[in-house]
Amino acid sequence: MAETTVASKTVKLIITRQDAPNAQSYTEEFEIPYRPNMNVIGALMEIQRNPKKKDGQATAPVCWESNCLEEVCGACSMVINGKPRQACSALIDKLEQPIRLQPMSTFPVVRDLVINRERMFNALKRVKAWIPIDGTYDLGPGPRMAEAKRQWAYELSKCMTCGVCLESCPNVNDRNSFIGPAAISQVRLFNAHPTGEMNAAERLETLMEDGGIEGCGNSQNCVRSCPKGIPLTTSIAAINKDTTKHLFKKWLGM
Amino acid sequence: MKGNSYLSRKIHSLLGVIPLGLFIIEHMVTNYSAFEGGAEGFSDSIKFLNDLPLVFFLELFGIWLPLLFHGVYGLYVAYQSNVNTGRFQYGRNWAFALQRITGVITFIFVFWHLYQTRFQVMIGEVKHEELGNLMHDIASNGFYFVLYIIGVLAATFHFSNGMWAFLVSWGITIGPRAQRISSFIWMGVFVIVAVMFLLSLGAFRGDEFKEAASAALQLTNLV
């Protein structure tokens, strides 16, 4: 009964599409039936079910990536109405129509809205964003972490490598080797850990090389865009302080 | 720039404050003497500067070389940045874009300004005592006057906002509150420095600079 009244309502979408990594991008318009509490993923699923453009012509279903559907995995990042964010937490009711979906083109586009975030994972490897505990014998329990420290460090651990901060950063582009805000914040997280701290200098030194922390130009878009509300600019400034101290200590041979 | 861009960027950042930030303050104070003390005050200030010991080396290591490095590397930094203020219209993102735009404007302005003033002194076209007169001629030209206002505003914004960024990049202002307070302070500095520069620029338009300089010229001619 209720279905007849809501079926007349539709959702309009304009999606930027790309058939292959090196292909030219183009836009297609879609108009799909509205359902209450719909999110952008739901709209994309609807297009997948019935891959027809607004004018009724058949087209290839739109490709996208998604996983957890609760804004913790970072897979469904895309540019929605001009802002990079997660498609799963982008509710249709709260978006201005037509909804414009674009891939986060700071990253290589694989197809349609699917991007390759490999550079972020490479960055995490570069800065050793982990705690080395493997040894040839039992190393025993590590030192304890103060509760006050754990609380702010937990906020940094919410990073899901979604790439939104890199997309919003004017200094992440092909002319600049900047590592991006996410990895710098992870250095702060792992340097704050009592066991991770033992490799703090190593992580700082990676950020004091070409393509390290110096690429940050303080536009602060990252902290305004982060879906998890991570204090990225505070992390960057804190690591600026640590790298500066490390630089002087090295010069003085301390 | 291969090898260590971290060091180059850090040197760029440091030179912007020491000595270039200090120099712009010194320049402001010297110019302001034209507003406060008129032609006589201005020529006294110039005399004081020329009487400084080792003035050639002060200029070389305090101005020329740092300016060259900061300027040229700064152009490279600007080249490496995108402008995305259309998508992200946040105050700090505008400041980021303006920092690069004013940097390029300041680069061009400083070279032109150096050619008009310091270079003319160097090749002997103009004497130190005649600089007031020279500035009077420049400031009285409506077109030059507007270009100088643009140049001065660009340079002072670049200095003030650069100081804000310096404090972040060296890890002095870390938290959002410290950075917010710092931005208020440096925008206040921007207004004060800009007003003082503009007042002195206006003062150069006064007739006394024309007369005083020609009097000085006559004196040297007599001798």
Side-chain angles (χ1 to χ4, degrees):
Chain A
M1 282 175 288
E3 273 180 9
T4 50
T5 52
V6 291
S8 59
K9 233 175 131 181
T10 58
V11 181
K12 291 189 183 73
L13 298 114
I14 301 175
I15 303 177
T16 301
R17 309 202 55 181
Q18 186 172 326
D19 297 337
N22 294 316
Q24 194 71 35
S25 67
Y26 57 95
T27 59
E28 277 184 356
E29 287 186 43
F30 296 89
E31 192 165 1
I32 55 162
Y34 171 86
R35 276 181 288 115
N37 304 322
M38 216 178 188
N39 62 5
V40 167
I41 301 282
L44 288 168
M45 284 173 159
E46 184 58 41
I47 293 170
Q48 197 176 42
R49 257 193 297 273
N50 185 19
K52 276 188 182 139
K53 288 191 278 182
K54 193 184 171 190
D55 57 18
Q57 255 190 323
T59 184
V62 178
C63 290
W64 79 94
E65 269 189 329
S66 63
N67 195 0
C68 73
L69 304 183
E70 54 179 5
E71 205 179 62
V72 293
C73 79
C76 67
S77 309
M78 57 184 73
V79 179
I80 301 170
N81 283 350
K83 289 279 194 311
R85 56 184 295 189
Q86 269 64 57
C88 61
S89 56
L91 303 177
I92 299 291
D93 288 333
K94 291 184 177 168
L95 292 172
E96 197 184 312
Q97 288 194 37
I99 300 162
R100 289 168 196 276
L101 304 182
Q102 293 160 313
M104 294 203 304
S105 47
T106 294
F107 300 91
V109 176
V110 178
R111 186 174 173 175
D112 293 340
L113 302 169
V114 181
I115 50 154
N116 181 354
R117 286 177 292 132
E118 200 178 1
R119 64 165 286 167
M120 294 193 74
F121 307 118
N122 288 340
L124 292 177
K125 287 182 211 162
R126 247 186 80 197
V127 299
K128 300 198 172 145
W130 59 77
I131 291 165
I133 50 165
D134 291 338
T136 50
Y137 58 95
D138 182 6
L139 297 171
R144 283 183 62 81
M145 191 172 192
E147 174 58 18
K149 200 178 188 184
R150 188 203 61 78
Q151 280 183 8
W152 65 254
Y154 179 71
E155 295 305 315
L156 308 186
S157 75
K158 287 180 180 173
C159 179
M160 52 191 183
T161 328
C162 70
V164 165
C165 57
L166 275 78
E167 173 71 16
S168 69
C169 178
N171 271 2
V172 174
N173 58 55
D174 49 14
R175 279 165 280 124
N176 200 316
S177 59
F178 182 39
I179 193 166
I184 298 173
S185 191
Q186 290 305 295
V187 167
R188 185 174 173 227
L189 170 66
F190 287 100
N191 281 3
H193 191 279
T195 308
E197 199 187 347
M198 295 170 185
N199 299 73
E202 230 179 306
R203 295 193 193 92
L204 292 179
E205 275 166 26
T206 323
L207 290 180
M208 293 161 72
E209 287 166 4
D210 192 51
I213 195 171
E214 104 285 346
C216 173
N218 299 305
S219 81
Q220 304 209 333
N221 288 346
C222 54
V223 74
R224 304 286 295 257
S225 305
C226 178
K228 306 309 286 183
I230 297 170
L232 290 164
T233 49
T234 308
S235 284
I236 293 173
I239 296 299
N240 271 329
K241 179 183 141 200
D242 293 346
T243 47
T244 305
K245 273 163 85 178
H246 191 69
L247 181 73
F248 285 117
K249 277 185 178 174
K250 264 183 90 176
W251 269 352
L252 298 172
M254 285 162 75
Chain B
M1 308 293 167
K2 224 178 139 45
N4 203 337
S5 60
Y6 176 80
L7 275 184
S8 325
R9 190 70 174 79
K10 270 280 184 276
I11 292 168
H12 170 86
S13 175
L14 183 65
L15 289 180
V17 181
I18 306 164
L20 295 177
L22 293 174
F23 169 65
I24 201 167
I25 294 295
E26 179 277 310
H27 199 323
M28 174 194 79
V29 170
T30 304
N31 284 14
Y32 195 68
S33 65
F35 177 78
E36 213 174 33
E40 204 178 319
F42 184 62
S43 56
D44 284 350
S45 298
I46 290 185
K47 193 175 177 321
F48 165 75
L49 287 179
N50 281 309
D51 287 346
L52 286 176
L54 297 172
V55 70
F56 171 76
F57 292 99
L58 281 179
E59 270 192 295
L60 183 70
F61 294 111
I63 308 172
W64 305 122
L65 294 178
L67 199 60
L68 195 67
F69 183 87
H70 188 85
V72 172
Y73 195 78
L75 288 179
Y76 175 66
V77 170
Y79 160 77
Q80 284 186 309
S81 297
N82 282 346
V83 173
N84 60 7
T85 45
R87 266 169 83 193
F88 304 95
Q89 300 185 351
Y90 310 130
R92 281 259 63 96
N93 194 30
W94 272 106
F96 167 88
L98 280 175
Q99 183 68 5
R100 278 136 187 86
I101 294 165
T102 55
V104 175
I105 294 174
T106 306
F107 184 90
I108 298 165
F109 171 68
V110 163
F111 266 82
W112 177 57
H113 175 56
L114 279 177
Y115 172 76
Q116 271 193 323
T117 56
R118 188 63 185 84
F119 183 71
Q120 300 303 323
V121 173
M122 198 178 84
I123 60 172
E125 285 290 312
V126 176
K127 290 194 181 64
H128 282 290
E129 300 77 45
E130 297 164 355
L131 277 172
N133 185 30
L134 181 72
M135 279 315 296
H136 172 78
D137 289 346
I138 294 171
S140 302
N141 179 322
F143 180 63
Y144 285 172
F145 189 62
V146 172
L147 288 186
Y148 263 71
I149 290 175
I150 295 170
V152 161
L153 289 178
T156 44
F157 177 85
H158 190 82
F159 160 68
S160 314
N161 191 53
M163 285 302 302
W164 177 87
F166 171 85
L167 292 178
V168 178
S169 299
W170 289 74
I172 297 162
T173 48
I174 293 177
R177 189 163 163 271
Q179 292 180 1
R180 196 170 58 247
I181 292 170
S182 166
S183 71
F184 292 148
I185 292 172
W186 290 111
M187 281 307 106
V189 168
F190 165 61
V191 172
I192 294 168
V193 176
V195 165
M196 283 179 77
F197 264 117
L198 292 179
L199 281 178
S200 7
L201 195 57
F204 282 124
R205 288 170 77 112
D207 278 338
E208 61 168 321
F209 280 94
K210 205 170 168 184
E211 286 152 18
S214 49
L217 207 72
Q218 273 168 4
L219 205 76
T220 47
N221 284 347
L222 279 174
V223 176

